Amino acid sequence: MYSMGIIGLPNVGKSTLFNALTQAAAAAANYPFCTIEPNIGIVPIPDSRLDQVVAAVSPEKVTPAAIRFVDIAGLVRGASRGEGLGNQFLAHVREVDALVHVIRCFHDDNVSHVEGDLDPLRDRDIVQTELLLADLQSLEKRKERLNRYLKTGEEKYKTELKLVDRVAKQLDQGMPARSLELTREEQERLREWLLLTSLPVLYCANVSSEQFAVIMESGGTVSADEPYGALQAAARREGASCIAIAAQLEAELQELDEEERQEFLKELGIPESGLNRLVKAAYEQLDLITFYTIKGPETRAWIIPRRTKAPQAAGRIHSDMERGFIRAEVLSATELIQLGSFSRAREEGLLRSEGKEYEVQDGDVMLIRFNV
C-alpha cells in the first residue's frame, strides 16, 4: 500500500488534518511535539467509477483502493542536527512514498506559532532546508564509502560517485533531488538512497473556514498577496501541487452523519469536502491509476503506478499471480458498467486477451489467468 507522510512545523494542523482524514483519535493540542510516535491511518480513495461498477455487478463485498497516511512529528530548525525530535522525524519520513507538507496559512492568536508569526514561504523553506541538509549528510557518508570502493577499480563505483556529486551539487544550490532530470536507471538508484528531497511533495495550505470559502468562490486561485496565494505561486514555480484545506472545519464535518455533512457543504457552497480533494491530489501526485477485479462475491479496486505491466499488476494481488502469469482478460470499467458482467462482455466479443507486455490502463477490469 502506498503511504504519504504528513509533515510540517509544529502547530500547523497536521494532527487535526490527520484526525479528519482518518476519523481517528490522534491527539491535537496547542503545543509543539504533540505527535511523537507517528499515527497511521488507512484512507479509502473516493471512486465514483467503483460505485458504478458495484451498481452494475451487485457484489456481496466491495473493497476500495486506499492510501496510508502517516502523521509525523513536527520538524523545527536544526532537525538535521538532531534538534527537537529531528532524528525520529527524519527516520519516519524515509519510510513513506510521498509527502503532504502542511503549511499554516491562517491567523489565530489562540494558536501559537513556533516561529512567532505567519509566513508560509519561510515555513516551507525551513522544512525544505532541513530535508536538504539531511540529504547532504547522507550523500557525504555515501561518498566516503564509494571512495574506499574505488580501489577495486570497478566502473560501477565511478559511475555512482559521479551521480552522488551531481545530486549533491543540486542540493547545494537549494534545489531538491526530485527536480533533477535523470535517466530511469539513475532514478532507480536514487530510490535506493532514500533521499528525503527525492520524494514527491504535495503542499497543503491549512486555512480558516472563512479563507476556504473565499478560495472556493474564486475557483481555487487567490492573489499572491494572500498567504495561500503566495504558497500556491511558489508551488507552481516548483512544479508541485498545492491545495487549500480548512483542517478544523474538516474535523468538525467528520462529527456529522453523511446526510448532515453533505447538507452543510451545500450551504457553504462547497462541491466536495477538502479531504476528498486532498486524497485525489495525493493519488495524482504519486501518478497512480486504478484497476479493478471481480472475483466471486468481491469487487475490488487496486492502485498501481502508471505504465505498470500486467504481470506486475497481478503481483499487487498476490505474488503467485505475477510468478505464474499467463494472460489477463481485460475490458474497461465503462464497458462493464454498460454490459453488467464479464460473461456478457465475452458474448459481445469485447473481452480482450492481453499478455505480459500489456501496460494496464486506468479503469481496466481484469481477470488474471495464472499457473503456479
Side-chain angles (χ1 to χ4, degrees):
M1 183 179 295
Y2 291 88
S3 62
M4 305 216 38
I6 302 176
I7 67 168
L9 295 175
N11 276 14
V12 296
K14 299 186 308 300
S15 293
T16 301
L17 176 63
F18 177 84
N19 289 350
L21 267 171
T22 62
Q23 300 182 43
N30 180 25
Y31 57 90
F33 311 129
C34 177
T35 302
I36 298 176
E37 288 302 315
N39 297 296
I40 298 174
I42 309 300
V43 181
I45 297 168
D47 189 345
S48 58
R49 187 171 54 197
L50 175 62
D51 297 336
Q52 292 177 292
V53 169
V54 168
V57 302
S58 302
E60 295 176 18
K61 182 180 179 182
V62 180
T63 305
I67 290 180
R68 178 189 293 111
F69 282 90
V70 184
D71 178 24
I72 298 170
L75 176 148
V76 295
R77 290 181 189 271
S80 58
R81 302 188 305 274
E83 294 292 332
L85 296 169
N87 293 333
Q88 287 174 268
F89 171 93
L90 297 172
H92 293 313
V93 172
R94 296 185 198 281
E95 297 171 0
V96 300
D97 298 298
L99 304 174
V100 177
H101 185 172
V102 181
I103 298 176
R104 179 172 168 174
C105 290
F106 65 89
H107 292 277
D108 189 339
D109 293 336
N110 296 316
V111 180
S112 63
H113 194 297
V114 71
E115 288 292 319
D117 62 347
L118 185 67
D119 187 340
L121 297 188
R122 175 205 59 208
D123 295 351
R124 180 201 65 158
D125 291 346
I126 289 172
V127 172
Q128 180 157 294
T129 297
E130 294 304 326
L131 299 183
L132 287 167
L133 290 172
D135 280 351
L136 281 168
Q137 289 176 12
S138 295
L139 289 177
E140 189 59 36
K141 291 176 182 176
R142 182 168 293 277
K143 188 172 181 177
E144 289 174 6
R145 288 197 299 271
L146 287 170
N147 280 324
R148 292 197 299 270
Y149 295 154
L150 286 177
K151 297 173 184 176
T152 66
E154 292 190 54
E155 190 63 32
K156 65 178 181 179
Y157 296 125
K158 294 180 183 178
T159 302
E160 185 169 348
L161 186 58
K162 287 179 183 178
L163 182 58
V164 167
D165 287 336
R166 188 177 159 204
V167 176
K169 182 179 178 182
Q170 174 90 348
L171 300 180
D172 273 329
Q173 294 173 346
M175 300 292 289
R178 61 179 167 271
S179 60
L180 257 179
E181 290 187 12
L182 302 170
T183 65
R184 178 169 293 187
E185 183 180 345
E186 289 172 334
Q187 289 172 349
E188 290 175 359
R189 180 58 55 86
L190 210 61
R191 277 194 289 271
E192 293 173 6
W193 296 353
L194 299 177
L195 294 182
L196 304 170
T197 64
S198 67
L199 295 170
V201 64
L202 165 66
Y203 291 109
C204 178
N206 188 11
V207 301
S208 67
S209 54
E210 292 79 13
Q211 287 173 295
F212 188 66
V214 171
I215 292 166
M216 290 297 99
E217 286 175 11
S218 69
T221 303
V222 297
S223 167
D225 294 330
E226 297 293 325
Y228 171 61
L231 180 62
Q232 189 180 48
R236 192 180 300 118
R237 290 192 295 271
E238 189 183 321
S241 299
C242 180
I243 65 169
I245 296 286
Q248 188 59 47
L249 172 64
E250 298 290 343
E252 291 168 1
L253 283 171
Q254 296 309 312
E255 297 176 5
L256 306 176
D257 62 36
E258 183 61 28
E259 187 175 336
E260 290 176 317
R261 192 180 306 145
Q262 293 304 321
E263 190 173 326
F264 190 40
L265 287 171
K266 188 176 180 181
E267 287 177 9
L268 293 173
I270 301 172
E272 67 175 338
S273 75
L275 299 185
N276 278 10
R277 290 170 48 246
L278 173 59
V279 174
K280 289 177 181 177
Y283 194 75
E284 291 171 6
Q285 191 70 28
L286 286 166
D287 198 21
L288 303 173
I289 63 171
T290 306
F291 76 95
Y292 306 95
T293 56
I294 298 173
K295 182 68 175 175
E298 182 181 21
T299 293
R300 182 162 182 169
W302 304 87
I303 58 176
I304 53 174
R306 196 177 302 277
R307 293 178 292 279
T308 297
K309 293 187 177 180
Q312 286 69 52
R316 296 290 296 174
I317 304 170
H318 197 285
S319 58
D320 285 350
M321 299 180 79
E322 179 176 359
R323 220 170 24 246
F325 181 88
I326 300 172
R327 69 180 187 279
E329 295 183 345
V330 184
L331 76 159
S332 72
T334 301
E335 292 168 330
L336 178 62
I337 291 163
Q338 291 173 345
L339 298 172
S341 69
F342 257 93
S343 57
R344 179 74 186 279
R346 189 174 282 108
E347 291 169 8
E348 298 286 337
L350 295 175
L351 202 60
R352 312 188 311 274
S353 181
E354 303 287 1
K356 293 182 178 180
E357 294 304 309
Y358 176 69
E359 288 188 1
V360 179
Q361 302 299 302
D362 185 44
D364 276 352
V365 185
M366 301 175 64
L367 179 62
I368 310 296
R369 301 294 185 185
F370 68 104
N371 184 31
V372 292

